[in-house]
Amino acid sequence: MTEARRYGVQPGNPDGVTPSQTVGPFFAYVLTPHEYGTREIFSKDIVTPDAVGHPIRIEGYVIDGDGEPIIDAMLEIWQADGDGRYAGAAPQHGANTAFKGFGRSDVDSNGFFAFRTVKPGQVPGPDGTTQAPHINVGVFARGLLKRLFTRIYFQGEPANATDPILALVPKERRHTLIAARRSRGDDTVYTFNIRLQGEDETVFFEA
């Protein structure tokens, strides 16, 4: 990921005769098949019994430039564990061998999504730097010829101030990458909305 990049979304067809999206999305039957009674290979709950890290919930909405929900989006996440280790990056023994750090979620009729995971640790960055805890996100939706890539950073994380990737983003745009933290009973919840265009459009990256 080297620089922030904006994408547009194709407008809907006002006649309602043909699909409003330029490409699909036709992924639901295979990639998010739970509504069709088929077992999912990857799900929105990626916490395993041996997962290292503090359990958290991430939730939010995928919306367009007018604030309307995108009801056919799909999100994929990829992250390190609480010790900053990516699955498969090195031989693992004992704790965390089952945690893969990859999840997939569709959205509901309100554009809402949620993941259950663990807060990742810091990972190495370019030129010997260290990156702040973050989660990589891929976004699929109507009108997108290619998926979009963004990141979720965490509110109140001191390492955000020195993260080399976040530093590439203009200061006035960085808030679109920061998930807001709150408590819900005993759960830690981070809210992260994804806006595909318009004012406060989420920052997307080349990948």
Side-chain angles (χ1 to χ4, degrees):
M1 299 181 183
T2 57
E3 62 180 3
R5 178 179 179 183
R6 290 175 176 246
Y7 285 78
V9 178
Q10 295 291 334
N13 184 333
D15 297 328
V17 177
T18 58
S20 62
Q21 58 269 22
T22 56
V23 177
F26 306 117
F27 45 69
Y29 294 99
V30 177
L31 300 183
T32 57
H34 58 89
E35 292 187 2
Y36 307 96
T38 303
R39 184 180 67 86
E40 293 181 302
I41 298 176
F42 299 104
S43 77
K44 60 189 71 176
D45 185 347
I46 67 173
V47 177
T48 57
D50 62 350
V52 174
H54 177 69
I56 62 173
R57 178 179 169 88
I58 298 171
E59 59 185 37
Y61 295 87
V62 182
I63 54 180
D64 65 17
D66 294 325
E68 295 298 318
I70 303 294
I71 63 173
D72 53 10
M74 183 184 75
L75 305 181
E76 292 182 342
I77 62 171
W78 183 51
Q79 65 167 93
D81 66 14
D83 285 341
R85 298 175 302 187
Y86 283 102
Q92 296 183 5
H93 303 282
N96 223 39
T97 55
F99 181 76
K100 302 306 180 186
F102 181 85
R104 181 181 289 143
S105 176
D106 55 1
V107 299
D108 66 13
S109 59
N110 295 311
F112 179 80
F113 68 90
F115 287 96
R116 181 173 175 265
T117 183
V118 296
K119 186 178 178 182
Q122 292 185 256
V123 298
D127 301 321
T129 58
T130 301
Q131 300 182 61
H134 67 275
I135 295 176
N136 301 296
V137 183
V139 183
F140 301 79
R142 75 177 91 123
L144 300 179
L145 297 177
K146 295 182 179 180
R147 62 176 166 169
L148 306 180
F149 293 94
T150 189
R151 285 183 166 201
I152 298 173
Y153 288 89
F154 300 95
Q155 182 183 44
E157 176 58 51
N160 289 346
T162 56
D163 182 86
I165 306 303
L166 199 56
L168 297 173
V169 180
K171 289 184 178 180
E172 66 273 14
R173 303 280 289 120
R174 293 177 192 172
H175 69 278
T176 69
L177 300 175
I178 308 296
R181 185 185 187 278
R182 72 181 190 278
S183 295
R184 182 187 296 155
D186 295 332
D187 297 332
T188 301
V189 180
Y190 285 92
T191 300
F192 185 78
N193 296 324
I194 298 174
R195 184 182 287 269
L196 296 188
Q197 58 184 176
E199 186 177 357
D200 272 348
E201 175 187 326
T202 299
V203 169
F204 298 106
F205 295 91
E206 295 281 6

